[in-house]
Amino acid sequence: MRAGGDTTAERRITTKESQSWLRKVLDSDLSVGWLFSLPFLMLWVWWFFYPFLQSFIRSFQDANFAALDQAKFIGLQNYVKILQDHEFYRAVLHSLEIVVIAVPLQTIIGLIMAILVNQKIKGKGLFRTLFFIPYITSQIAITTVFMTLFKQGTFVTDFIGLFGFGNVTWFADTHYALVFIAILFIFQQCGFSMIVYLSGLQEVPKDLYEAGQIDGASRWAQFRYITVPYLKPITFFIVSVATILGFQIFDQIAAISRYGALGSPAGATNTVVTYFYQNGIRYLNIGYGSAAVVLFFFIILIITFLQKKLLDEKG
Amino acid sequence: MTSRKSLTLIGNYALLIVLGLLFALPFLYTLYTSVLHLEDVNKWAGISKWTFANYRLFFTNDAYNVPKWLVNTIVITALVILGNFIINPMVGFALAKLDFPGKNLIYWIVVASMMVPYHMILIPVYVNVAHLGWLNSVLGLTVPFLYQCLYIFMLRQFFMSIPNEFIEAARIDGLTKMGAFWRIVFPLAKSSLITMSILAFSGTWNSYLIPSTFTSDPAKYVLVVGLNSVKDQFFENTPLIMSGVVLTTLPILIFFFIFQKQYIEGISSSGVKG
């Protein structure tokens, strides 16, 4: 009996052990981790990685939408052709102009807003919401509104005209159209910068300011030597996100280019993105468009790298 | 209060009010113009009557198809949010709270993909969608966008700040890791999940580049693409256009107002520091 009892007990232990063994496998970090990542990875491979590789491969091909099977390998010819195209350099220049005008301005305005609404004042919730709304509003909608505001002879253009700007329809004027796009971007983006800066400001240790006050530092000195250095990683985040988004501006340009080709008026708002869209998608020249986009990718990479260097060396 | 302090306060308020007016003006102008008769545009006084005819026109005129665009937009936005709500937190949890071979690889996949501009893959994605016969269909506008690396990264940052002790305590009480995820992490991360939902909502609702590339049939348009096509046809009819703008923007504003408190908290605690 004793032996028999032992066997049953042993058996019980074995089943229990094997159950807990199964449970252990299913409940391990390895299986849960991969199980949880699997849906993402499957989508990513098919909708990101594969297209990403294709973009590289297509950029070395002479490929047309209409006859993709007949795509021919042509080496660097697409790149050579782009680098000889005057319009491409113009597009790069326009993208750079937008970024150089809009990114610093939206960063500074965002910081000012954040500091203003981080104080103990009445109605700060209202102002936070007001400044943030453009960020979640459709760019097409905002552009549409600004297009009716920045027409020749409206109260807005009349008013700005007093400061020496031309009283013209901004988005139809070759000199002003690009500035118009930059204004739209700033209007949209500084609310986001404000929110991010706001979260940063709330994390600056209060005793740093107290120490500053004891040392008799002015408000400006406190801002310059405490706030700004403390916010540096956040500034880098804001500047790099805004740069990437600034290079990707598309909706606003599409909205002002009615009837005409993208980049109206007369190519004055043509950017790297509209250049690639026009060639790759409208003119169906996939190989050429892909090469433009690969170059665009490297431009962003280099600029992000330079920003990192610049912001690291500052303070 | 010293006079210098009150001067600063007045300066701050002045600056806030100027900025606030600058930001409110386009929206107030939109609302104001959307209820005007065409002949009253650009008049600031002597308006005889308000009208909602512009709004009515959008819903009754077959040429605009607004009800259809609205349904398309709602379906697509709902599906994309649902996908993001299931897929992103799972990856975020795996990256924040589990330790397994291959985790670093997945982390770098997420971070690197976040940096790549979508234009880079737009053409091949378009070709994929076309091959599957998904152009002009809901599938083409939803399936490729069911996850977002930026949101996965954001959620990972937030989940990291949930103390491990919470999860360990749940395990001692007999919960599996998946159980701990649904029962502990999901409720604790409410504000960052709302943040993600607002961003996913406005991103999908407002997206123009992708729907305008993947659809050519006006019956399959989303609101933003539809609005832009109406705008091109009736650019001189400002009140009509402005009522379209209000119609497109209103759902976002409602969604934001409902969740705004959690939203601000969500951003502050998800720690975006480089």
Side-chain angles (χ1 to χ4, degrees):
Chain A
M1 283 312 281
R2 256 177 82 189
D6 275 1
T7 330
T8 331
E10 265 165 29
R11 234 180 247 144
R12 255 191 226 129
I13 287 164
T14 357
T15 15
K16 217 178 169 188
E17 258 176 2
S18 71
Q19 262 178 0
S20 70
W21 175 82
L22 189 71
R23 196 190 138 142
K24 231 179 205 164
V25 168
L26 280 178
D27 201 27
S28 69
D29 278 12
L30 179 72
S31 48
V32 177
W34 278 94
L35 202 70
F36 273 20
S37 306
L38 209 60
F40 158 69
L41 286 174
M42 290 191 319
L43 284 166
W44 180 82
V45 166
W46 180 245
W47 294 108
F48 185 95
F49 186 63
Y50 177 60
F52 188 82
L53 275 183
Q54 272 182 317
S55 268
F56 269 109
I57 296 167
R58 292 277 183 220
S59 72
F60 300 107
Q61 286 179 341
D62 179 17
N64 189 293
F65 264 125
L68 276 180
D69 310 338
Q70 291 157 33
K72 276 197 312 266
F73 182 77
I74 52 164
L76 290 170
Q77 276 184 43
N78 285 325
Y79 290 97
V80 172
K81 219 166 115 194
I82 290 175
L83 292 174
Q84 286 171 349
D85 186 2
H86 172 71
E87 270 307 308
F88 179 71
Y89 290 104
R90 211 173 146 214
V92 172
L93 200 65
H94 288 156
S95 290
L96 284 171
E97 277 172 23
I98 293 176
V99 167
V100 167
I101 299 172
V103 172
L105 277 175
Q106 67 86 31
T107 312
I108 293 165
I109 298 173
L111 179 59
I112 292 173
M113 285 172 167
I115 290 170
L116 285 173
V117 297
N118 193 38
Q119 306 171 99
K120 283 186 192 120
I121 48 162
K122 281 187 183 128
K124 62 179 175 185
L126 174 76
F127 284 111
R128 282 182 189 181
T129 310
L130 201 58
F131 295 152
F132 189 69
I133 281 176
Y135 181 71
I136 51 165
T137 308
S138 148
Q139 287 316 298
I140 298 284
I142 291 181
T143 310
T144 309
V145 175
F146 273 70
M147 281 171 79
T148 68
L149 288 172
F150 278 75
K151 262 191 290 195
Q152 189 173 16
T154 64
F155 64 96
V156 173
T157 44
D158 282 348
F159 179 74
I160 305 176
L162 298 176
F163 298 93
F165 293 96
N167 190 341
V168 292
T169 301
W170 278 52
F171 53 90
D173 185 283
T174 46
H175 294 102
Y176 287 97
L178 206 64
V179 181
F180 181 76
I181 300 290
I183 291 174
L184 285 168
F185 182 76
I186 294 169
F187 182 75
Q188 175 230 0
Q189 198 60 31
C190 53
F192 178 74
S193 306
M194 174 201 74
I195 291 274
V196 179
Y197 267 134
L198 202 55
S199 69
L201 282 173
Q202 283 164 2
E203 281 170 28
V204 184
K206 298 274 182 298
D207 39 336
L208 277 182
Y209 291 113
E210 279 157 23
Q213 266 163 359
I214 291 165
D215 293 346
S218 67
R219 275 180 68 126
W220 170 251
Q222 288 179 33
F223 173 74
R224 173 73 188 80
Y225 297 107
I226 300 171
T227 316
V228 171
Y230 203 86
L231 291 177
K232 218 169 76 179
I234 293 190
T235 304
F236 175 71
F237 174 80
I238 290 173
V239 168
S240 44
V241 167
T243 304
I244 291 171
L245 291 177
F247 274 117
Q248 292 188 40
I249 287 180
F250 179 87
D251 295 6
Q252 294 91 326
I253 295 169
I256 68 165
S257 309
R258 61 196 184 110
Y259 311 127
L262 275 173
S264 301
T269 60
N270 227 343
T271 63
V272 188
V273 173
T274 59
Y275 180 85
F276 119 80
Y277 196 87
Q278 194 86 299
N279 288 290
I281 291 180
R282 292 236 174 124
Y283 302 157
L284 307 177
N285 196 342
I286 300 188
Y288 193 78
S290 301
V293 123
V294 170
L295 283 175
F296 170 55
F297 174 66
F298 283 113
I299 294 173
I300 290 196
L301 213 65
I302 291 165
I303 287 176
T304 311
F305 178 76
L306 287 177
Q307 281 172 343
K308 178 98 185 141
K309 279 237 140 195
L310 204 72
L311 284 167
D312 272 350
E313 280 165 14
K314 264 187 184 172
Chain B
M1 198 182 276
T2 62
S3 65
R4 211 182 136 190
K5 255 188 183 165
S6 56
L7 259 181
T8 324
L9 198 69
I10 292 169
N12 282 343
Y13 269 113
L15 202 55
L16 261 180
I17 288 166
V18 169
L19 279 172
L21 278 177
L22 273 178
F23 270 74
L25 188 80
F27 291 99
L28 294 177
Y29 174 82
T30 309
L31 264 181
Y32 173 75
T33 313
S34 74
V35 291
L36 289 182
H37 288 285
L38 186 54
E39 62 268 23
D40 288 335
V41 174
N42 284 332
K43 270 195 220 166
W44 294 98
I47 307 290
S48 48
K49 247 168 58 192
W50 314 109
T51 175
F52 284 98
N54 304 312
Y55 289 94
R56 210 173 308 128
L57 204 65
F58 260 109
F59 281 97
T60 51
N61 193 321
D62 293 340
Y64 308 148
N65 244 332
V66 166
K68 198 150 206 181
W69 298 341
L70 190 66
V71 171
N72 293 343
T73 316
I74 291 172
V75 169
I76 287 160
T77 309
L79 288 174
V80 169
I81 290 189
L82 190 72
N84 278 276
F85 208 84
I86 297 169
I87 293 172
N88 299 342
M90 293 203 304
V91 189
F93 175 73
L95 292 179
K97 290 291 170 205
L98 304 176
D99 194 18
F100 55 98
K103 178 175 148 173
N104 275 336
L105 175 73
I106 297 174
Y107 177 76
W108 283 111
I109 284 177
V110 170
V111 172
S113 315
M114 210 167 83
M115 303 291 183
V116 176
Y118 203 78
H119 306 91
M120 182 150 191
I121 59 168
L122 185 65
I123 296 177
V125 168
Y126 178 90
V127 175
N128 281 1
V129 168
H131 270 305
L132 292 165
W134 287 359
L135 290 177
N136 284 314
S137 101
V138 170
L139 288 172
L141 291 179
T142 51
V143 177
F145 310 102
L146 293 177
Y147 72 92
Q148 262 275 7
C149 290
L150 180 68
Y151 305 155
I152 294 176
F153 181 73
M154 207 179 77
L155 291 175
R156 170 190 176 266
Q157 299 299 99
F158 187 82
F159 292 163
M160 301 251 282
S161 69
I162 294 175
N164 282 331
E165 289 78 32
F166 286 12
I167 293 166
E168 275 157 29
R171 309 240 329 129
I172 290 164
D173 289 345
L175 276 181
T176 59
K177 288 202 169 94
M178 290 188 206
F181 171 65
W182 289 114
R183 299 252 197 103
I184 310 290
V185 175
F186 231 74
L188 277 176
K190 203 178 117 200
S191 71
S192 69
L193 290 168
I194 286 175
T195 303
M196 183 196 74
S197 307
I198 292 183
L199 292 179
F201 187 101
S202 69
T204 314
W205 191 275
N206 294 329
S207 81
Y208 175 79
L209 173 68
I210 286 151
S212 66
T213 309
F214 291 3
T215 55
S216 49
D217 174 4
K220 306 290 182 191
Y221 281 173
V222 292
L223 265 179
V224 172
V225 177
L227 172 73
N228 205 36
S229 72
V230 172
K231 190 204 77 196
D232 288 351
Q233 286 165 36
F234 300 95
F235 190 64
E236 295 311 319
N237 192 339
T238 315
L240 181 76
I241 301 295
M242 289 305 139
S243 59
V245 169
V246 174
L247 285 176
T248 322
T249 311
L250 207 59
I252 298 271
L253 295 189
I254 294 170
F255 199 81
F256 179 66
F257 276 117
I258 296 172
F259 294 115
Q260 65 160 315
K261 199 170 179 299
Q262 286 93 331
Y263 177 75
I264 306 267
E265 283 168 10
I267 284 267
S268 325
S269 46
S270 57
V272 278
K273 278 181 279 180

